[in-house]
Amino acid sequence: MTDSMKEKIAALTGEFARIPGGMLPLMHAVQETFGHVPREAVPLIAEGMGLSRAEVHGFIGFYHDFRCEPRGETVIHLCRAEACQAMGVRELEAHVKSRLGINYHETTADGRFTLEPVYCLGNCACTPSIRIGDDVYARVTPDRFDQLLSERVES
Ligand code: FES
């Protein structure tokens, strides 16, 4: 971790340590600044917020929005909410995980894709739904996913 990163984390921690319940906005600010919460930041955050390192790790683990590793170039959000479940998203989910070789909250080895669950994409009439980057796709089958993925890889 560079000195500049340490200074930014110290500044953010100092800002939010004064606010009751400041841990949550602090973590959002750190993630927004760096794209993730660097593991090396945990001791600095713990010290600045008067917490143990274990408490900070527990906080990161509790809120799935926070991640310690950078995201891939493209984030794939797979809808796991009720309407998509009813239309077979579990089969699609197994295929997506197998095809990418990763589980939820993980990134492919080449850094291209991160897989995240989402609970409704507002596309419930055309399930199963998936978002790849900024684009939402409807009625996605395993074959359609492979096609969409190939288009992304080739672009
Ligand atoms: S439940 Fe999947 S898009 Fe709404």
Side-chain angles (χ1 to χ4, degrees):
M1 175 177 282
T2 65
D3 287 345
S4 166
M5 289 173 77
K6 287 180 187 171
E7 285 170 18
K8 281 182 185 165
I9 290 167
L12 289 169
T13 304
E15 181 183 339
F16 289 104
R18 294 189 298 267
I19 300 170
M23 188 63 179
L24 192 57
L26 167 63
M27 298 302 273
H28 278 293
V30 170
Q31 185 154 288
E32 197 175 303
T33 302
F34 300 105
H36 64 292
V37 179
R39 291 189 195 284
E40 303 89 337
V42 170
L44 300 172
I45 292 169
E47 186 181 334
M49 298 301 282
L51 300 170
S52 70
R53 294 179 187 191
E55 286 173 312
V56 176
H57 280 297
F59 196 92
I60 294 168
F62 182 78
Y63 293 98
H64 285 298
D65 278 352
F66 300 125
R67 56 195 172 275
C68 290
E69 306 298 332
R71 279 185 160 179
E73 292 166 32
T74 301
V75 179
I76 298 173
H77 284 99
L78 186 65
C79 179
R80 301 186 72 210
E82 201 169 308
C84 285
Q85 294 274 356
M87 293 302 286
V89 79
R90 282 177 193 263
E91 180 192 355
L92 177 63
E93 178 183 65
H95 177 80
V96 169
K97 287 179 178 180
S98 168
R99 178 70 200 269
L100 294 172
I102 56 174
N103 211 325
Y104 286 121
H105 314 298
E106 293 180 353
T107 299
T108 54
D110 63 4
R112 293 207 67 171
F113 300 103
T114 295
L115 180 62
E116 297 288 353
V118 68
Y119 295 89
C120 197
L121 289 166
N123 202 30
C124 310
C126 306
T127 61
S129 297
I130 197 165
R131 183 169 63 215
I132 303 178
D134 295 329
D135 303 316
V136 175
Y137 299 94
R139 295 192 177 101
V140 180
T141 62
D143 285 346
R144 175 78 172 126
F145 175 77
D146 289 349
Q147 180 189 354
L148 293 168
L149 197 64
S150 295
E151 290 168 10
R152 292 280 173 158
V153 169
E154 288 163 12
S155 66

